[in-house]
């Protein structure tokens, strides 16, 4: 294949001319992590084939999944490569929205290179329509750049928590590299050097790279802008700044470290957003995650449940389904852009910003009861233009119908505290107790099911133009 890049145009023999932006948009159109629009519709699946790790991050307890790409405290069931490939075929047949297969642990994929690459090889042979995605700490990245490229692994995440070893030495206890253990400054120097060189080598080969950074108050919180600049210079596509979650049995827990607040994370993201595209919809998912981001279907597909299931993978049917879905996402995006442009022209410039917390189980819809929400999507609506702010995790208020509301005061108080800067809650349902509790704290519930964007417009209009003192049900 011949290709040339000139004046922002890409030409390939036998293909129509596309701009670089269009080409990039097409590459991420079905990736739920790289595209905020896609994440409402397309699903990812992680296969936990990589148990070992070659470094020790101070926020990680190795009893659990790798905390660089997973919510700490979760333990995934490790699979052999052949089991993983079978599971992929089963899940891709059952959940046609599945577009990406990722390996993100439970240790570091490149500390387990044979298992990782054998799995990717098997998936690409038997289910070639699935995109391959890898997440690594980057220590051994340089060794495997050519293998990653040859296997057509198009998306790679590297977790980089520092670009200055003086800071990095406080994030990592040790690394194990080329048969030797290193500690302190020397360990941080080797790791950072390999991460940055690996990033550069991948982007030179046209691989799309995401960088995860764990925001650690008092350690790297003043350093993240420097990280963002350094990774941008080396061609990173997107930066995902994730909050530290202090976990038992870790160095940071013993040192009395604290998690950053949602506001602190947002402030750092805003500071860095001039430098690089920010990912704000990360769910810190587990190493065996399945389904849309924010929905966890891994329990349905446990090893025990799936090994007797038939494989119903059908490449043609999947292609048709996903082509239609991609078309729908693109049409929605176009409509949204047209509406935003019209609103910018029409609207007054001094409307207040209304912050709205939304409950959803996916498909871009308000379709989840407040009591069952484990997270809220937060949006700022101003002049009816919508800005996605991020995701806030909570404990769900109801576990089942039986104990809904009983003895749940502390959970409700914690949720209200997490949402305290919000003006409204947009949810498909809410019980009497939480409704009153939130309203007493100035958070107005708007209860309706439907498309998120349309309901954001509708609810914010109510808020702005009506004297709201009661919950709104429509
Ligand atoms: Fe998985 Fe990561 Fe690939 Fe996505 S997750 S390996 S890039 S397919 Fe996504 Fe999950 Fe956040 Fe990761 S929401 S933790 S960013
Ligand atoms: Fe834990 Fe992942 Fe760090 Fe390894 S790279 S120590 S698994 S957080």
């Amino acid at each position: 294949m011949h290709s040339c890049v000139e004046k922002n145009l890409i030409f390939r023999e036998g293909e129509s001319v596309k701009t670089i932006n269009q080409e990039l948009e097409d590459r991420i159109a079905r990736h739920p992590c790289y595209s905020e629009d896609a994440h409402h519709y397309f699903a990812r699946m992680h296969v936990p084939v990589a148990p070992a790790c070659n470094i020790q991050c101070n926020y990680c307890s190795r009893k659990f999944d790798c905390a660089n790409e997973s919510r700490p405290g979760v333990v995934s069931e490790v699979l052999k490569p052949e089991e993983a490939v079978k599971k992929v075929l089963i899940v891709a047949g059952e959940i046609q929205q599945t577009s990406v297969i990722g390996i993100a642990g439970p240790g570091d994929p490149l500390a387990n290179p044979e298992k990782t690459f054998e799995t990717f090889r098997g998936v690409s042979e038997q289910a070639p329509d699935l995109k391959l995605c890898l997440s690594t700490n980057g220590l051994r990245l340089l060794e495997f750049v050519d293998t990653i490229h040859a296997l057509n692994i198009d998306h790679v995440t590297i977790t980089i928590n520092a670009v200055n070893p003086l800071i990095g030495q406080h994030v990592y206890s040790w690394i194990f590299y080329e048969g030797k253990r290193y500690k302190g400054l020397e360990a941080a120097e080797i790791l950072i050097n390999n991460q940055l060189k690996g990033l550069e080598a991948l982007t030179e080969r046209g691989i799309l790279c995401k960088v995860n950074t764990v925001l650690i108050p008092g350690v790297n919180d003043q350093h993240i802008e420097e990280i963002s600049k350094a990774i941008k210079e080396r061609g990173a596509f997107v930066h995902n700044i994730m909050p530290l979650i202090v976990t038992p049995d870790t160095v940071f827990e013993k040192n009395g470290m604290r998690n950053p607040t949602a506001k602190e994370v947002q402030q750092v993201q805003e500071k860095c957003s001039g430098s690089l595209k920010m990912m704000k919809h990360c769910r810190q998912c587990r190493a065996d995650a399945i389904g849309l981001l924010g929905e966890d279907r891994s329990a349905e597909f446990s090893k025990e449940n799936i090994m007797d299931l038939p494989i119903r993978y059908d490449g043609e049917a999947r292609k048709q389904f996903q082509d239609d879905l991609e078309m729908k996402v693109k049409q929605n995006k176009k409509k949204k852009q047209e509406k935003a442009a019209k609103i910018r022209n029409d609207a007054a410039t001094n409307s207040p910003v209304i912050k709205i917390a939304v409950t959803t189980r996916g498909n871009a819809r308000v379709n989840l009861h407040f009591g069952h929400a484990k997270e809220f999507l937060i949006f700022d609506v101003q002049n009816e233009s919508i800005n996605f702010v991020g995701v806030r995790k909570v404990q769900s208020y109801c576990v089942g119908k039986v104990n809904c509301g009983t003895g749940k005061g502390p959970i409700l108080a914690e949720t209200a505290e997490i949402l305290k800067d919000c003006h409204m809650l947009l949810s498909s349902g809410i019980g009497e107790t939480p409704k009153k509790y939130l309203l007493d704290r100035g958070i107005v519930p708007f209860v309706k099911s439907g498309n998120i964007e349309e309901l954001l417009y509708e609810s914010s209009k109510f808020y702005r133009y009506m004297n709201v003192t009661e919950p709104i049900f429509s």
Side-chain angles (χ1 to χ4, degrees), residues 282-450:
C282 177
R283 306 301 210 277
Q284 294 179 272
C285 27
R286 45 192 291 161
D288 61 359
I290 290 175
L292 295 170
L293 302 194
E295 118 185 302
D296 182 9
R297 296 185 62 179
S298 52
E300 274 175 64
F301 296 96
S302 67
K303 197 159 142 182
E304 195 192 344
N305 285 350
I306 61 155
M307 284 309 158
D308 294 329
L309 285 181
I311 293 173
R312 290 201 289 234
Y313 172 86
D314 175 346
E316 271 308 305
R318 281 177 48 79
K319 182 177 180 320
Q320 186 63 54
F321 180 89
Q322 295 208 357
D323 286 352
D324 292 348
L325 201 56
E326 185 180 331
M327 182 76 77
K328 186 173 160 191
V329 176
K330 284 187 171 161
Q331 282 167 350
N332 284 349
K333 189 174 176 185
K334 197 164 168 233
K335 263 194 235 158
K336 188 171 142 191
Q337 283 167 340
E338 285 167 359
K339 189 162 187 176
K342 185 173 180 307
I343 285 161
R344 264 198 302 279
N345 292 336
D346 294 353
T349 51
N350 57 353
S351 295
V353 175
I354 300 169
K355 198 176 278 301
I356 305 179
V358 175
T359 60
T360 176
R361 58 172 92 245
N363 294 314
R365 296 187 67 76
V366 180
N367 51 10
L368 185 64
H369 191 281
F370 169 83
H372 297 147
K374 291 185 186 147
E375 62 182 29
F376 294 89
L377 304 191
I378 310 293
F379 295 87
D380 280 346
V381 186
Q382 185 187 28
N383 290 343
E384 299 186 44
S385 83
I386 294 172
N387 177 33
F388 174 62
V389 175
V391 183
R392 295 188 191 162
K393 299 270 182 192
V394 294
Q395 285 187 71
S396 58
Y397 180 64
C398 306
V399 179
K401 281 182 188 157
V402 181
N403 70 349
C404 188
T406 42
K408 298 286 182 172
I411 293 180
L412 189 53
E414 195 182 274
T415 303
E417 176 65 22
I418 286 168
L419 301 182
K420 71 177 178 195
D421 56 341
C422 295
H423 303 94
M424 298 190 88
L425 164 79
L426 179 49
S427 185
S428 66
I430 186 168
E432 285 303 318
T433 309
K435 184 171 64 184
K436 183 168 182 325
Y437 192 92
L438 293 181
L439 196 60
D440 286 348
R441 281 150 188 83
I443 303 167
V444 179
F446 187 94
V447 182
K448 194 168 180 179
S449 300

Side-chain angles (χ1 to χ4, degrees), residues 31-34 44-46 68-70 100-104 133-135 155 157 210 212 240 242 279 281-286 289 293:
H31 198 305
C33 305
Y34 283 66
R44 52 77 184 98
M45 170 181 182
H46 286 171
N68 285 339
E69 192 79 3
S70 312
V100 178
I101 300 303
I103 302 186
C133 194
L134 170 78
S135 176
H155 298 74
T157 296
K210 170 164 78 64
N212 285 356
N240 177 20
M242 307 151 70
M279 178 180 186
H281 60 282
C282 177
R283 306 301 210 277
Q284 294 179 272
C285 27
R286 45 192 291 161
L293 302 194

